[in-house]
């Protein structure tokens, strides 16, 4: 895609703030930006080792202000289940006026008055705030990240069954492809072209993903869908916060199946998105059986 590195390479090293930098997607974006000689600063509650980091909460305007000094662009993630505190964050962004690339969701329905579930609603609300802010910003709407499967590692180290709430099938996307796309958009001045809608190459359900992990591991694995109430009580027993559990249950009940596959990863990165099978092969070691449970 055409675009201009901001600021032009050779004039000054571009500086990018990455929020969510300790997460599955954020870590990959940080790696790519550093490889490309970008000055990277991170914002998260835990620091990222070896990278300039501002430690704190996205909901704290003073933290956000201190993180924004001198940055040209921000990769914004909003991992919270309430968009209300994002008002303060967007006000800080508007004052500092960097370009903003917001990691949003492919599940947003632009025609709907209300979104399917609280997680999608928050993304829609944050997009609306950015739209009203006067900032130069672009949405990177991501489908379900392949890295969510890491949440199955404990079950697959112990046995051959993944059990949990089922969720509608979507075009699961490799977080490394989303990171490549994010790096391209962060470094290119093409805000007019969004929203980008980043999907993987095939529509998959959880049972499909577990089977593909099994193929990568050489094991016969299966997914066992757990009814809503049992899923809720198990997640609560695991110590997950109640509002998160309710949001996950709502997503599993109300989010519709998506048949959408786009070419946006390829347009941004110059190559087609990877399959979940490829992701599974590359991450097989993370799911290897515990010796004592073999
Ligand atoms: N996963 C998906 O399928 C998917 C799909 C579409 C969009 N997205 C969006 O993509 C983003 C990244 O997804 P992911 O799977 O990489 O997430 P993840 O692995 O759970 O990482 C979340 C990141 O956010 C940081 N964080 C959480 N709460 C924070 C707070 N209050 N203040 C500051 N930082 C905070 C975490 O760091 P600390 O804990 O160190 O603060 C971590 O770096 C999410 O925000 C999500 O909204 C995800």
């Amino acid at each position: 895609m055409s675009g201009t590195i901001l600021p032009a390479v050779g004039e000054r090293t571009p500086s990018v703030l990455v929020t969510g930098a300790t997460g599955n997607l954020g870590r990959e974006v940080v790696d790519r930006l550093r490889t490309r000689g970008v000055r990277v600063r991170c914002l998260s509650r835990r620091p990222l080792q070896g990278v300039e980091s501002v430690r704190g909460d996205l909901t704290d305007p003073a933290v956000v202000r201190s993180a924004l000094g001198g940055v040209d662009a921000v990769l914004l993630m909003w991992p919270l289940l309430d968009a209300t505190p994002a008002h303060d964050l967007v006000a800080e962004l508007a004052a500092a006026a960097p370009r903003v690339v917001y990691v949003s969701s492919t599940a947003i329905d632009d025609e709907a008055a209300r979104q399917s579930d609280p997680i999608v609603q928050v993304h829609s609300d944050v997009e609306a705030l950015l739209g009203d802010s006067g900032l130069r910003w672009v949405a990177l709407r991501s489908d379900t990240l392949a890295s969510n499967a890491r949440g199955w590692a404990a079950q697959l180290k112990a046995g051959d069954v993944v059990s949990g709430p089922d969720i509608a099938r979507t075009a699961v996307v490799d977080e490394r492809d989303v990171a490549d796309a994010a790096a391209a958009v962060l470094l290119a001045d093409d805000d007019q072209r969004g929203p980008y809608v980043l999907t993987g190459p095939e529509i998959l359900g959880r049972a499909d993903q577990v089977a593909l992990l099994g193929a990568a591991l050489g094991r016969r694995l299966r997914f066992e869908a757990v009814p809503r109430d049992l899923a809720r009580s198990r997640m609560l027993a695991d110590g997950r916060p109640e509002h998160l559990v309710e949001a996950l249950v709502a997503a599993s009940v109300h989010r519709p199946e998506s048949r959408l596959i786009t070419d946006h990863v390829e347009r941004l990165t110059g190559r087609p998105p990877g399959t979940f099978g490829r992701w599974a092969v590359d991450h097989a070691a993370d799911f290897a059986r515990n010796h004592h449970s073999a």
Side-chain angles (χ1 to χ4, degrees):
M1 302 203 72
S2 66
T4 315
I5 304 286
L6 282 179
V9 167
E11 290 175 10
R12 183 168 71 76
T13 308
S15 173
V16 175
L17 176 67
V18 178
T19 63
T22 51
N24 286 317
L25 175 60
R27 283 194 303 261
E28 297 288 342
V29 177
V30 169
D31 284 351
R32 282 154 181 75
L33 293 175
R34 294 180 84 197
T35 301
R36 293 173 71 165
V38 174
R39 183 173 168 192
V40 180
R41 186 182 296 154
C42 299
L43 168 55
S44 48
R45 294 165 302 177
R46 296 163 294 155
L48 193 64
Q49 300 304 321
V51 186
E52 182 184 340
S53 288
V54 172
R55 187 174 183 171
D57 202 294
L58 276 167
T59 59
D60 182 340
V63 166
V64 173
R65 199 175 311 141
S66 69
L68 284 171
V71 303
D72 302 298
V74 176
L75 182 68
L76 178 63
M77 304 193 202
W78 186 255
L80 290 91
L81 290 167
D82 176 8
T84 312
H87 285 83
D88 288 342
L89 174 131
V90 172
E92 294 299 333
L93 288 168
R99 285 181 64 241
V100 175
V101 177
Y102 176 57
V103 182
S104 184
S105 169
T106 52
I108 289 180
D109 177 352
D110 288 315
E111 309 303 318
R114 295 296 297 168
Q115 301 299 324
S116 58
D117 59 82
I119 295 171
V120 185
Q121 187 62 49
V122 166
H123 285 302
S124 174
D125 290 346
V126 173
E127 284 198 15
L129 282 174
L130 290 167
D132 291 341
S133 68
L135 282 158
R136 288 180 306 140
W137 75 284
V138 64
L140 268 193
R141 292 182 177 175
S142 170
D143 212 316
T144 307
L145 296 175
S147 48
N148 292 356
R150 289 200 161 115
W152 301 333
Q155 291 187 70
L156 290 179
K157 283 171 189 273
D160 291 336
V161 178
V162 172
S163 77
D166 206 355
I167 193 158
R169 289 160 16 112
T170 66
V172 175
V173 63
D174 190 321
E175 71 282 0
R176 297 170 296 184
D177 291 329
V178 176
D180 284 339
V185 174
L186 280 163
L187 298 177
D189 188 8
D190 61 354
D191 303 340
Q192 305 309 314
R193 295 167 191 249
Y196 295 103
V197 180
L198 306 176
T199 73
E202 53 195 342
I203 307 291
L204 299 173
R206 298 215 153 157
D208 304 316
Q209 287 180 271
V210 171
L212 286 162
L213 269 172
L217 289 160
R219 289 162 54 190
R220 191 181 289 271
L221 306 180
R222 75 187 161 82
F223 178 73
E224 186 180 84
V226 167
R228 174 182 18 182
D229 291 339
L230 181 56
R232 177 188 284 115
S233 55
R234 276 196 194 167
M235 288 191 281
L236 289 171
D238 283 349
R240 297 213 210 180
E242 195 173 341
H243 61 299
L244 173 62
V245 170
E246 289 310 326
L248 293 172
V249 169
S252 80
V253 173
H254 298 298
R255 195 167 304 173
E257 173 166 312
S258 171
R259 309 291 309 170
L260 181 68
I261 292 176
T262 73
D263 65 355
H264 293 195
V265 166
E266 183 159 10
R267 280 167 51 196
L268 287 165
T269 68
R271 49 166 190 72
T275 61
F276 186 79
R278 176 77 251 169
W279 185 94
V281 168
D282 292 344
H283 296 83
D286 298 344
F287 299 89
R289 254 185 195 289
N290 288 331
H291 289 303
H292 63 265
S293 57

